[in-house]
mmCIF file of all heavy atoms in Angstrom:
data_model
loop_
_atom_site.group_PDB
_atom_site.id
_atom_site.type_symbol
_atom_site.label_atom_id
_atom_site.label_comp_id
_atom_site.label_asym_id
_atom_site.label_seq_id
_atom_site.Cartn_x
_atom_site.Cartn_y
_atom_site.Cartn_z
ATOM 1 N N GLY Y 80 -75.440 103.588 194.046
ATOM 2 C CA GLY Y 80 -76.074 102.896 195.179
ATOM 3 C C GLY Y 80 -76.596 103.926 196.159
ATOM 4 O O GLY Y 80 -76.265 105.116 196.066
ATOM 5 N N ILE Y 81 -77.404 103.489 197.100
ATOM 6 C CA ILE Y 81 -77.972 104.407 198.094
ATOM 7 C C ILE Y 81 -77.993 103.721 199.463
ATOM 8 O O ILE Y 81 -77.974 102.474 199.530
ATOM 9 C CB ILE Y 81 -79.396 104.854 197.659
ATOM 10 C CG1 ILE Y 81 -79.903 106.059 198.473
ATOM 11 C CG2 ILE Y 81 -80.406 103.701 197.745
ATOM 12 C CD1 ILE Y 81 -81.137 106.747 197.870
ATOM 13 N N GLY Y 82 -78.038 104.511 200.528
ATOM 14 C CA GLY Y 82 -78.110 103.944 201.881
ATOM 15 C C GLY Y 82 -76.901 103.061 202.147
ATOM 16 O O GLY Y 82 -75.751 103.446 201.910
ATOM 17 N N GLY Y 83 -77.171 101.852 202.606
ATOM 18 C CA GLY Y 83 -76.083 100.933 202.912
ATOM 19 C C GLY Y 83 -75.286 100.508 201.694
ATOM 20 O O GLY Y 83 -74.174 99.979 201.825
ATOM 21 N N SER Y 84 -75.816 100.753 200.522
ATOM 22 C CA SER Y 84 -75.080 100.408 199.300
ATOM 23 C C SER Y 84 -74.270 101.596 198.794
ATOM 24 O O SER Y 84 -73.840 101.609 197.639
ATOM 25 C CB SER Y 84 -76.067 99.936 198.224
ATOM 26 O OG SER Y 84 -76.628 98.700 198.618
ATOM 27 N N TYR Y 85 -74.080 102.586 199.657
ATOM 28 C CA TYR Y 85 -73.359 103.809 199.273
ATOM 29 C C TYR Y 85 -72.464 104.326 200.396
ATOM 30 O O TYR Y 85 -71.277 104.598 200.189
ATOM 31 C CB TYR Y 85 -74.408 104.864 198.877
ATOM 32 C CG TYR Y 85 -74.014 106.307 199.010
ATOM 33 C CD1 TYR Y 85 -72.990 106.857 198.234
ATOM 34 C CD2 TYR Y 85 -74.691 107.163 199.891
ATOM 35 C CE1 TYR Y 85 -72.650 108.203 198.342
ATOM 36 C CE2 TYR Y 85 -74.359 108.505 200.000
ATOM 37 C CZ TYR Y 85 -73.343 109.019 199.224
ATOM 38 O OH TYR Y 85 -73.020 110.342 199.330
ATOM 39 N N LEU Y 86 -73.037 104.441 201.608
ATOM 40 C CA LEU Y 86 -72.396 105.258 202.641
ATOM 41 C C LEU Y 86 -71.081 104.686 203.176
ATOM 42 O O LEU Y 86 -70.179 105.438 203.526
ATOM 43 C CB LEU Y 86 -73.383 105.493 203.788
ATOM 44 C CG LEU Y 86 -74.446 106.554 203.444
ATOM 45 C CD1 LEU Y 86 -75.621 106.472 204.416
ATOM 46 C CD2 LEU Y 86 -73.845 107.953 203.473
ATOM 47 N N ILE Y 139 -74.637 98.947 192.627
ATOM 48 C CA ILE Y 139 -74.807 98.171 193.866
ATOM 49 C C ILE Y 139 -76.243 98.282 194.356
ATOM 50 O O ILE Y 139 -76.732 99.381 194.628
ATOM 51 C CB ILE Y 139 -73.870 98.698 194.977
ATOM 52 C CG1 ILE Y 139 -72.422 98.806 194.473
ATOM 53 C CG2 ILE Y 139 -73.952 97.795 196.206
ATOM 54 C CD1 ILE Y 139 -71.488 99.540 195.427
ATOM 55 N N SER Y 140 -76.915 97.153 194.461
ATOM 56 C CA SER Y 140 -78.235 97.147 195.091
ATOM 57 C C SER Y 140 -78.507 95.741 195.585
ATOM 58 O O SER Y 140 -78.559 94.794 194.790
ATOM 59 C CB SER Y 140 -79.310 97.592 194.099
ATOM 60 O OG SER Y 140 -80.575 97.533 194.716
ATOM 61 N N LYS Y 141 -78.657 95.608 196.891
ATOM 62 C CA LYS Y 141 -78.884 94.279 197.451
ATOM 63 C C LYS Y 141 -80.208 93.718 196.944
ATOM 64 O O LYS Y 141 -80.284 92.597 196.454
ATOM 65 C CB LYS Y 141 -78.885 94.338 198.977
ATOM 66 C CG LYS Y 141 -78.976 92.967 199.574
ATOM 67 C CD LYS Y 141 -78.952 92.959 201.074
ATOM 68 C CE LYS Y 141 -79.071 91.504 201.494
ATOM 69 N NZ LYS Y 141 -79.627 91.317 202.802
ATOM 70 N N SER Y 142 -81.247 94.545 197.052
ATOM 71 C CA SER Y 142 -82.565 94.081 196.596
ATOM 72 C C SER Y 142 -82.621 94.033 195.076
ATOM 73 O O SER Y 142 -83.368 93.255 194.494
ATOM 74 C CB SER Y 142 -83.648 95.032 197.103
ATOM 75 O OG SER Y 142 -83.430 96.329 196.551
ATOM 76 N N GLY Y 143 -81.822 94.883 194.453
ATOM 77 C CA GLY Y 143 -81.836 94.944 192.989
ATOM 78 C C GLY Y 143 -83.041 95.673 192.440
ATOM 79 O O GLY Y 143 -83.258 95.684 191.227
ATOM 80 N N THR Y 144 -83.821 96.299 193.321
ATOM 81 C CA THR Y 144 -85.052 96.940 192.852
ATOM 82 C C THR Y 144 -85.189 98.381 193.331
ATOM 83 O O THR Y 144 -86.239 98.984 193.131
ATOM 84 C CB THR Y 144 -86.289 96.158 193.362
ATOM 85 O OG1 THR Y 144 -86.207 96.084 194.781
ATOM 86 C CG2 THR Y 144 -86.376 94.767 192.800
ATOM 87 N N THR Y 145 -84.169 98.937 193.976
ATOM 88 C CA THR Y 145 -84.307 100.275 194.548
ATOM 89 C C THR Y 145 -84.346 101.333 193.442
ATOM 90 O O THR Y 145 -83.511 101.321 192.523
ATOM 91 C CB THR Y 145 -83.142 100.552 195.530
ATOM 92 O OG1 THR Y 145 -83.094 99.470 196.472
ATOM 93 C CG2 THR Y 145 -83.323 101.846 196.284
ATOM 94 N N THR Y 146 -85.322 102.238 193.554
ATOM 95 C CA THR Y 146 -85.612 103.155 192.445
ATOM 96 C C THR Y 146 -84.465 104.121 192.134
ATOM 97 O O THR Y 146 -84.102 104.313 190.966
ATOM 98 C CB THR Y 146 -86.883 103.975 192.779
ATOM 99 O OG1 THR Y 146 -87.880 103.058 193.206
ATOM 100 C CG2 THR Y 146 -87.383 104.733 191.568
ATOM 101 N N GLU Y 147 -83.907 104.755 193.185
ATOM 102 C CA GLU Y 147 -82.891 105.788 192.940
ATOM 103 C C GLU Y 147 -81.703 105.234 192.142
ATOM 104 O O GLU Y 147 -81.351 105.796 191.088
ATOM 105 C CB GLU Y 147 -82.423 106.410 194.261
ATOM 106 C CG GLU Y 147 -83.470 107.255 194.974
ATOM 107 C CD GLU Y 147 -84.332 106.464 195.956
ATOM 108 O OE1 GLU Y 147 -84.448 105.232 195.791
ATOM 109 O OE2 GLU Y 147 -84.885 107.084 196.888
ATOM 110 N N PRO Y 148 -81.059 104.152 192.598
ATOM 111 C CA PRO Y 148 -79.940 103.631 191.798
ATOM 112 C C PRO Y 148 -80.380 103.070 190.449
ATOM 113 O O PRO Y 148 -79.622 103.147 189.475
ATOM 114 C CB PRO Y 148 -79.332 102.529 192.682
ATOM 115 C CG PRO Y 148 -80.297 102.269 193.760
ATOM 116 C CD PRO Y 148 -81.153 103.485 193.918
ATOM 117 N N ALA Y 149 -81.606 102.525 190.400
ATOM 118 C CA ALA Y 149 -82.056 101.956 189.119
ATOM 119 C C ALA Y 149 -82.157 103.049 188.057
ATOM 120 O O ALA Y 149 -81.765 102.844 186.899
ATOM 121 C CB ALA Y 149 -83.403 101.254 189.309
ATOM 122 N N ILE Y 175 -73.139 94.504 191.903
ATOM 123 C CA ILE Y 175 -73.064 93.850 193.221
ATOM 124 C C ILE Y 175 -74.492 93.751 193.730
ATOM 125 O O ILE Y 175 -75.156 94.766 193.957
ATOM 126 C CB ILE Y 175 -72.176 94.655 194.186
ATOM 127 C CG1 ILE Y 175 -70.795 94.904 193.555
ATOM 128 C CG2 ILE Y 175 -72.035 93.917 195.517
ATOM 129 C CD1 ILE Y 175 -69.859 95.754 194.386
ATOM 130 N N THR Y 176 -74.981 92.530 193.881
ATOM 131 C CA THR Y 176 -76.385 92.337 194.211
ATOM 132 C C THR Y 176 -76.610 90.959 194.821
ATOM 133 O O THR Y 176 -75.655 90.219 195.095
ATOM 134 C CB THR Y 176 -77.259 92.581 192.942
ATOM 135 O OG1 THR Y 176 -78.626 92.604 193.316
ATOM 136 C CG2 THR Y 176 -77.024 91.539 191.859
ATOM 137 N N ILE Y 197 -73.965 89.986 197.452
ATOM 138 C CA ILE Y 197 -74.183 90.411 198.851
ATOM 139 C C ILE Y 197 -74.959 89.282 199.503
ATOM 140 O O ILE Y 197 -76.066 88.950 199.058
ATOM 141 C CB ILE Y 197 -75.054 91.690 198.951
ATOM 142 C CG1 ILE Y 197 -74.571 92.765 197.978
ATOM 143 C CG2 ILE Y 197 -75.086 92.194 200.390
ATOM 144 C CD1 ILE Y 197 -75.520 93.958 197.872
ATOM 145 N N VAL Y 201 -76.587 89.603 205.420
ATOM 146 C CA VAL Y 201 -75.911 90.862 205.759
ATOM 147 C C VAL Y 201 -76.790 92.014 205.273
ATOM 148 O O VAL Y 201 -76.987 92.191 204.067
ATOM 149 C CB VAL Y 201 -74.513 90.954 205.101
ATOM 150 C CG1 VAL Y 201 -73.829 92.255 205.510
ATOM 151 C CG2 VAL Y 201 -73.654 89.756 205.473
ATOM 152 N N GLY Y 202 -77.320 92.803 206.212
ATOM 153 C CA GLY Y 202 -78.178 93.931 205.837
ATOM 154 C C GLY Y 202 -77.355 95.050 205.220
ATOM 155 O O GLY Y 202 -76.142 95.141 205.430
ATOM 156 N N GLY Y 203 -78.035 95.930 204.485
ATOM 157 C CA GLY Y 203 -77.350 97.005 203.752
ATOM 158 C C GLY Y 203 -76.408 97.817 204.616
ATOM 159 O O GLY Y 203 -75.235 98.015 204.277
ATOM 160 N N ARG Y 204 -76.901 98.288 205.771
ATOM 161 C CA ARG Y 204 -76.073 99.186 206.584
ATOM 162 C C ARG Y 204 -74.925 98.465 207.289
ATOM 163 O O ARG Y 204 -74.071 99.117 207.894
ATOM 164 C CB ARG Y 204 -76.942 99.949 207.586
ATOM 165 C CG ARG Y 204 -77.740 99.087 208.524
ATOM 166 C CD ARG Y 204 -78.734 99.918 209.323
ATOM 167 N NE ARG Y 204 -79.626 99.090 210.136
ATOM 168 C CZ ARG Y 204 -80.737 98.512 209.690
ATOM 169 N NH1 ARG Y 204 -81.079 98.635 208.415
ATOM 170 N NH2 ARG Y 204 -81.496 97.802 210.482
ATOM 171 N N PHE Y 205 -74.903 97.139 207.239
ATOM 172 C CA PHE Y 205 -73.790 96.355 207.809
ATOM 173 C C PHE Y 205 -72.899 95.780 206.700
ATOM 174 O O PHE Y 205 -72.150 94.853 206.943
ATOM 175 C CB PHE Y 205 -74.342 95.213 208.674
ATOM 176 C CG PHE Y 205 -74.961 95.668 209.975
ATOM 177 C CD1 PHE Y 205 -76.278 96.090 210.029
ATOM 178 C CD2 PHE Y 205 -74.210 95.703 211.143
ATOM 179 C CE1 PHE Y 205 -76.848 96.518 211.230
ATOM 180 C CE2 PHE Y 205 -74.772 96.129 212.354
ATOM 181 C CZ PHE Y 205 -76.086 96.540 212.393
ATOM 182 N N SER Y 206 -73.019 96.333 205.471
ATOM 183 C CA SER Y 206 -72.382 95.650 204.334
ATOM 184 C C SER Y 206 -71.076 96.280 203.847
ATOM 185 O O SER Y 206 -70.524 95.843 202.840
ATOM 186 C CB SER Y 206 -73.371 95.562 203.160
ATOM 187 O OG SER Y 206 -73.611 96.842 202.616
ATOM 188 N N VAL Y 211 -69.686 95.263 198.567
ATOM 189 C CA VAL Y 211 -70.406 96.549 198.479
ATOM 190 C C VAL Y 211 -69.477 97.726 198.794
ATOM 191 O O VAL Y 211 -69.466 98.737 198.082
ATOM 192 C CB VAL Y 211 -71.604 96.553 199.463
ATOM 193 C CG1 VAL Y 211 -72.226 97.929 199.593
ATOM 194 C CG2 VAL Y 211 -72.638 95.535 199.036
ATOM 195 N N GLN Y 281 -76.719 106.453 209.524
ATOM 196 C CA GLN Y 281 -77.596 105.420 208.948
ATOM 197 C C GLN Y 281 -77.582 104.164 209.815
ATOM 198 O O GLN Y 281 -78.632 103.581 210.114
ATOM 199 C CB GLN Y 281 -77.178 105.038 207.517
ATOM 200 C CG GLN Y 281 -78.222 104.099 206.910
ATOM 201 C CD GLN Y 281 -77.711 103.147 205.841
ATOM 202 O OE1 GLN Y 281 -76.528 103.148 205.531
ATOM 203 N NE2 GLN Y 281 -78.571 102.338 205.297
ATOM 204 N N LEU Y 282 -76.370 103.757 210.229
ATOM 205 C CA LEU Y 282 -76.238 102.526 211.013
ATOM 206 C C LEU Y 282 -77.128 102.589 212.264
ATOM 207 O O LEU Y 282 -77.912 101.672 212.528
ATOM 208 C CB LEU Y 282 -74.767 102.321 211.402
ATOM 209 C CG LEU Y 282 -74.447 101.050 212.179
ATOM 210 C CD1 LEU Y 282 -74.717 99.812 211.333
ATOM 211 C CD2 LEU Y 282 -72.986 101.041 212.651
ATOM 212 N N GLU Y 285 -81.263 103.694 211.386
ATOM 213 C CA GLU Y 285 -82.105 102.619 210.845
ATOM 214 C C GLU Y 285 -82.193 101.439 211.804
ATOM 215 O O GLU Y 285 -83.166 100.689 211.782
ATOM 216 C CB GLU Y 285 -81.553 102.117 209.498
ATOM 217 C CG GLU Y 285 -82.126 102.857 208.309
ATOM 218 C CD GLU Y 285 -81.807 102.204 206.973
ATOM 219 O OE1 GLU Y 285 -81.070 101.191 206.922
ATOM 220 O OE2 GLU Y 285 -82.286 102.721 205.958
ATOM 221 N N PHE Y 411 -82.058 94.926 213.160
ATOM 222 C CA PHE Y 411 -81.658 94.515 211.808
ATOM 223 C C PHE Y 411 -82.750 94.630 210.749
ATOM 224 O O PHE Y 411 -82.558 94.181 209.625
ATOM 225 C CB PHE Y 411 -81.081 93.092 211.860
ATOM 226 C CG PHE Y 411 -79.968 92.990 212.866
ATOM 227 C CD1 PHE Y 411 -80.098 92.218 214.005
ATOM 228 C CD2 PHE Y 411 -78.805 93.734 212.699
ATOM 229 C CE1 PHE Y 411 -79.083 92.167 214.962
ATOM 230 C CE2 PHE Y 411 -77.791 93.695 213.642
ATOM 231 C CZ PHE Y 411 -77.935 92.912 214.772
ATOM 232 N N ASN Y 412 -83.893 95.200 211.116
ATOM 233 C CA ASN Y 412 -84.899 95.437 210.060
ATOM 234 C C ASN Y 412 -85.069 96.946 209.869
ATOM 235 O O ASN Y 412 -84.474 97.748 210.583
ATOM 236 C CB ASN Y 412 -86.230 94.755 210.400
ATOM 237 C CG ASN Y 412 -86.867 95.341 211.650
ATOM 238 O OD1 ASN Y 412 -86.335 96.277 212.250
ATOM 239 N ND2 ASN Y 412 -87.995 94.783 212.044
ATOM 240 N N GLN Y 413 -85.835 97.355 208.884
ATOM 241 C CA GLN Y 413 -86.089 98.775 208.644
ATOM 242 C C GLN Y 413 -87.453 98.945 207.994
ATOM 243 O O GLN Y 413 -87.559 99.486 206.898
ATOM 244 C CB GLN Y 413 -84.974 99.429 207.805
ATOM 245 C CG GLN Y 413 -84.655 98.794 206.454
ATOM 246 C CD GLN Y 413 -83.852 97.525 206.568
ATOM 247 O OE1 GLN Y 413 -83.069 97.353 207.494
ATOM 248 N NE2 GLN Y 413 -84.063 96.630 205.641
ATOM 249 N N VAL Y 416 -88.775 102.390 206.330
ATOM 250 C CA VAL Y 416 -88.321 103.047 205.091
ATOM 251 C C VAL Y 416 -89.243 102.744 203.908
ATOM 252 O O VAL Y 416 -89.107 103.337 202.841
ATOM 253 C CB VAL Y 416 -86.851 102.699 204.716
ATOM 254 C CG1 VAL Y 416 -85.894 103.110 205.822
ATOM 255 C CG2 VAL Y 416 -86.690 101.221 204.394
ATOM 256 N N GLU Y 417 -90.192 101.816 204.108
ATOM 257 C CA GLU Y 417 -91.100 101.469 203.000
ATOM 258 C C GLU Y 417 -92.208 102.499 202.807
ATOM 259 O O GLU Y 417 -92.776 102.616 201.727
ATOM 260 C CB GLU Y 417 -91.735 100.084 203.246
ATOM 261 C CG GLU Y 417 -90.738 98.938 203.258
ATOM 262 C CD GLU Y 417 -89.847 98.921 202.028
ATOM 263 O OE1 GLU Y 417 -90.375 99.084 200.908
ATOM 264 O OE2 GLU Y 417 -88.612 98.778 202.192
ATOM 265 N N TYR Y 419 -92.451 105.838 202.560
ATOM 266 C CA TYR Y 419 -92.328 106.856 201.502
ATOM 267 C C TYR Y 419 -92.367 106.207 200.121
ATOM 268 O O TYR Y 419 -92.893 106.772 199.164
ATOM 269 C CB TYR Y 419 -91.046 107.689 201.695
ATOM 270 C CG TYR Y 419 -89.867 107.235 200.849
ATOM 271 C CD1 TYR Y 419 -89.647 107.769 199.573
ATOM 272 C CD2 TYR Y 419 -88.981 106.265 201.295
ATOM 273 C CE1 TYR Y 419 -88.567 107.356 198.795
ATOM 274 C CE2 TYR Y 419 -87.925 105.838 200.533
ATOM 275 C CZ TYR Y 419 -87.717 106.387 199.282
ATOM 276 O OH TYR Y 419 -86.670 105.959 198.509
ATOM 277 N N LYS Y 420 -91.818 104.980 200.044
ATOM 278 C CA LYS Y 420 -91.773 104.304 198.737
ATOM 279 C C LYS Y 420 -93.187 104.017 198.247
ATOM 280 O O LYS Y 420 -93.496 104.232 197.080
ATOM 281 C CB LYS Y 420 -90.990 102.983 198.827
ATOM 282 C CG LYS Y 420 -89.516 103.167 199.078
ATOM 283 C CD LYS Y 420 -88.804 101.825 199.043
ATOM 284 C CE LYS Y 420 -87.405 101.922 199.617
ATOM 285 N NZ LYS Y 420 -86.803 100.639 199.876
HETATM 286 O O1 PA5 E 501 -79.646 99.459 205.253
HETATM 287 C C1 PA5 E 501 -80.452 99.209 204.381
HETATM 288 O O2 PA5 E 501 -80.940 98.088 204.261
HETATM 289 C C2 PA5 E 501 -80.891 100.268 203.375
HETATM 290 O O3 PA5 E 501 -80.378 101.503 203.655
HETATM 291 C C3 PA5 E 501 -80.437 99.854 201.997
HETATM 292 O O4 PA5 E 501 -79.051 99.708 202.017
HETATM 293 C C4 PA5 E 501 -80.823 100.878 200.938
HETATM 294 O O5 PA5 E 501 -82.201 101.098 200.977
HETATM 295 C C5 PA5 E 501 -80.433 100.369 199.552
HETATM 296 O O6 PA5 E 501 -81.007 99.141 199.301
HETATM 297 P P1 PA5 E 501 -80.520 98.225 198.128
HETATM 298 O O7 PA5 E 501 -79.105 97.882 198.341
HETATM 299 O O8 PA5 E 501 -81.425 97.034 198.176
HETATM 300 O O9 PA5 E 501 -80.697 99.025 196.848
#
Side-chain angles (χ1 to χ4, degrees):
I81 194 166
S84 292
Y85 155 65
L86 283 164
I139 309 170
S140 178
K141 186 179 179 205
S142 62
T144 56
T145 307
T146 311
E147 291 90 337
I175 306 177
T176 189
I197 313 171
V201 182
R204 58 189 174 276
F205 289 85
S206 69
V211 170
Q281 187 207 1
L282 182 65
E285 269 191 356
F411 306 114
N412 64 2
Q413 56 284 330
V416 301
E417 296 308 314
Y419 98 91
K420 292 184 194 167

